[in-house]
Amino acid sequence: MSSHSPSSSQVTLHSKLTAVSSKPNGSGKTHHELSALDLAMAQHTLHMVLYYRDHQDVFFESFGLDWWRQSLSEVLTMYPTVTGRLLEQGHHVNWQVSCNDTGVRVVKATVDATLSQWLQSASASQEALLVSWDHMPLDPTTWSPYQIQISNFKEGGVAIGISCTHMLADLTCLASFFKSWTLVHRNLPITNPPSFTPLPFTPKPLSNGDAKPPPPPPQPTMQTKDMGKATFKFSSSTMKQCLSNFHDICPNATPFDFLCALFWTRISHLKPLKNNDQTLCSLSICIDFRKRLLKAPIPFGYFGNALHFTKLSLENKDLGNVVSAVNRHLAGLEEEEIWSAMERLGSSNRCMYGAELTCVSMEETLPYEAMFSDNEKPVHVSCHVGNVAGEGLIMVMPSCEEGLARAVTVMLPHEELAELIKDEAILQLDPTTLFADI
């Protein structure tokens, strides 16, 4: 490790405190039951880290946290589930959130490296130190299901990490919460007020003879032991050229269509024992359905899980064919399929990500709009889903560069990730590789 490469010992946790709402919502007020989709996410956690360079001294010059206290307290008033606690309602019913203004756990830390050194050299396991997370205890009533960590870098810059159980939110929610926080900090109205109105479908009630549903299992920390992680950033000009190459085959192809197809085909190539040379491994594609529901629309500010997993299988591994197939599959997705999948969800004891190779579209997730000052957007945003197992996970999201630029975060078994990082079909697109944990 070079002298400029960050190490685990360079992240120092200083203290924990609790941030509460500026206006209490009323102790004991109970939120609605979690949806079947929320419960299906019980085995997973979410982690998002936003990096800011602090060019205008927006944050702190010496270590201190006064800059965020008032705005965070104000925005928490609008998000009562963030400051609440999980509880069970009755003996045969599902989990709820008690909106009791208990507060959100906040950890303050320092990093003994500059932000530039960190972004150039840190691994995924080192980046995990920038998010705070505790396992869910047997009694979750005193446990903070959301946790925030604010880490100050040498010579300026800050990383703000937020973690939560996936039962309570998806990544669109976390990005929306961040944006609302920054707007409140700048004394601007929030653009997508949170909505907590339940989805139309809830878990089917249990009969008297059914066993009580198990509580969500204790959640793992940010990085699972047998999986490695890396992020590839592709420029807007590269994406424009790639889409141009397939214009005759698929004129409506999007950056997600291309990158989903590229990484699907290249990862399938690394799984020779499970797939012959003519067949791709099956792919589960995860999309946000907030803007796809027309017959029973939900607001974009819906605060909960609004994700649909749809399966795609192909035999032809030609990249152009795969790009076109992904595009057609998502364009042809019917609203009825989404609601039907919601109705079929019953058990929370499942692994939603990675049991088969999963690709997540984060085109509706806009964390780069979270700016604590005018025109000072994050220089990088990392997203992570905890407890991914099996075949692996691909996450495609916008990048800090405007236009068609995209970042792809991949979680795979270590030996497969080591090969993927050397893959010529990916390297010829000249990506910037960050947080490679191999």
Side-chain angles (χ1 to χ4, degrees):
M1 181 178 293
S2 70
S3 59
H4 296 293
S5 178
S7 64
S8 300
S9 61
Q10 288 180 291
V11 179
T12 303
L13 304 182
H14 291 270
S15 63
K16 292 184 179 181
L17 52 90
T18 300
V20 297
S21 305
S22 59
K23 297 179 181 179
N25 291 283
S27 179
K29 180 181 177 182
T30 301
H31 186 51
H32 61 79
E33 289 183 19
L34 301 183
S35 72
L37 180 55
D38 294 331
L39 295 173
M41 300 296 180
Q43 291 199 18
H44 300 289
T45 54
L46 294 179
H47 312 267
M48 181 179 288
V49 183
L50 283 76
Y51 294 90
Y52 296 89
R53 287 206 184 277
D54 195 17
H55 290 305
Q56 299 178 1
D57 295 327
V58 178
F59 307 113
F60 38 84
E61 295 181 8
S62 59
F63 192 81
L65 294 177
D66 289 340
W67 65 268
W68 61 266
R69 290 179 185 271
Q70 182 177 352
S71 57
L72 179 58
S73 292
E74 290 180 12
V75 79
L76 288 175
T77 302
M78 307 174 196
Y79 292 82
T81 59
V82 175
T83 58
R85 296 294 182 263
L86 280 167
L87 55 81
E88 288 180 282
Q89 182 193 28
H91 185 65
H92 286 299
V93 232
N94 294 309
W95 288 87
Q96 292 188 334
V97 180
S98 176
C99 299
N100 54 12
D101 295 309
T102 308
V104 61
R105 194 69 43 78
V106 181
V107 175
K108 56 182 183 179
T110 52
V111 183
D112 191 21
T114 67
L115 178 56
S116 295
Q117 290 169 352
W118 184 268
L119 292 176
Q120 292 171 6
S121 306
S123 66
S125 58
Q126 290 165 345
E127 189 189 37
L129 300 172
L130 299 184
V131 290
S132 174
W133 186 246
D134 299 321
H135 293 273
M136 180 188 291
L138 293 178
D139 177 11
T141 57
T142 60
W143 174 72
S144 179
Y146 288 85
Q147 298 183 31
I148 296 173
Q149 180 171 322
I150 303 177
S151 304
N152 188 26
F153 289 91
K154 289 176 60 177
E155 301 177 13
V158 68
I160 307 177
I162 185 169
S163 301
C164 72
T165 169
H166 206 331
M167 285 200 301
L168 300 186
D170 55 23
L171 288 167
T172 299
C173 295
L174 296 190
S176 179
F177 173 78
F178 259 117
K179 183 180 178 181
S180 295
W181 181 7
T182 62
L183 290 171
V184 169
H185 189 83
R186 294 157 62 196
N187 296 312
L188 297 174
I190 64 174
T191 52
N192 293 298
S195 170
F196 301 98
T197 302
L199 294 175
F201 296 98
T202 55
K204 295 180 179 179
L206 297 170
S207 65
N208 291 334
D210 289 332
K212 184 181 179 181
Q219 301 297 339
T221 52
M222 190 176 177
Q223 186 71 44
T224 52
K225 293 181 179 179
D226 59 340
M227 305 288 277
K229 178 184 171 188
T231 296
F232 305 83
K233 297 181 71 173
F234 299 91
S235 69
S236 182
S237 58
T238 296
M239 286 294 94
K240 184 177 181 180
Q241 181 60 51
C242 291
L243 295 179
S244 175
N245 293 341
F246 296 102
H247 184 268
D248 291 342
I249 300 173
C250 186
N252 298 320
T254 66
F256 174 80
D257 298 333
F258 171 75
L259 291 169
C260 175
L262 174 66
F263 280 85
W264 183 14
T265 55
R266 302 319 300 165
I267 292 173
S268 286
H269 181 70
L270 301 176
K271 299 179 183 290
L273 298 180
K274 299 179 181 180
N275 306 280
N276 61 46
D277 290 339
Q278 303 301 316
T279 305
L280 286 166
C281 63
S282 62
L283 183 72
S284 174
I285 303 178
C286 174
I287 63 166
D288 186 310
F289 61 67
R290 284 172 175 80
K291 293 185 177 179
R292 287 180 171 259
L293 302 182
L294 301 177
K295 298 178 181 177
I298 62 173
F300 187 73
Y302 170 71
F303 205 83
N305 285 286
L307 302 175
H308 176 64
F309 293 81
T310 178
K311 187 174 180 178
L312 182 59
S313 299
L314 295 174
E315 293 187 359
N316 190 334
K317 297 176 69 171
D318 174 73
L319 183 57
N321 174 75
V322 181
V323 171
S324 182
V326 171
N327 179 271
R328 291 194 311 270
H329 183 77
L330 294 181
L333 186 63
E334 299 288 342
E335 186 171 337
E336 288 74 14
E337 178 185 333
I338 296 174
W339 291 123
S340 177
M342 287 282 291
E343 288 182 307
R344 291 195 302 269
L345 288 170
S347 170
S348 63
N349 188 22
R350 65 177 68 193
C351 179
M352 298 295 289
Y353 297 90
E356 56 190 353
L357 186 64
T358 305
C359 186
V360 180
S361 170
M362 298 177 61
E363 295 296 311
E364 305 296 340
T365 305
L366 304 173
Y368 288 96
E369 294 183 355
M371 298 181 291
F372 283 96
S373 65
D374 295 341
N375 302 317
E376 286 289 339
K377 65 182 181 180
V379 295
H380 180 68
V381 177
S382 289
C383 296
H384 180 87
V385 177
N387 205 21
V388 173
E391 298 299 323
L393 180 67
I394 308 162
M395 304 174 71
V396 182
M397 66 180 293
S399 184
C400 59
E401 179 189 353
E402 294 184 359
L404 301 176
R406 293 295 184 270
V408 181
T409 297
V410 180
M411 287 187 69
L412 287 172
H414 280 281
E415 63 277 7
E416 294 180 9
L417 184 64
E419 293 300 317
L420 186 71
I421 289 177
K422 299 182 292 184
D423 188 277
E424 288 297 329
I426 294 175
L427 292 179
Q428 69 180 2
L429 302 182
D430 195 27
T432 300
T433 304
L434 302 176
F435 304 117
D437 202 13
I438 55 175

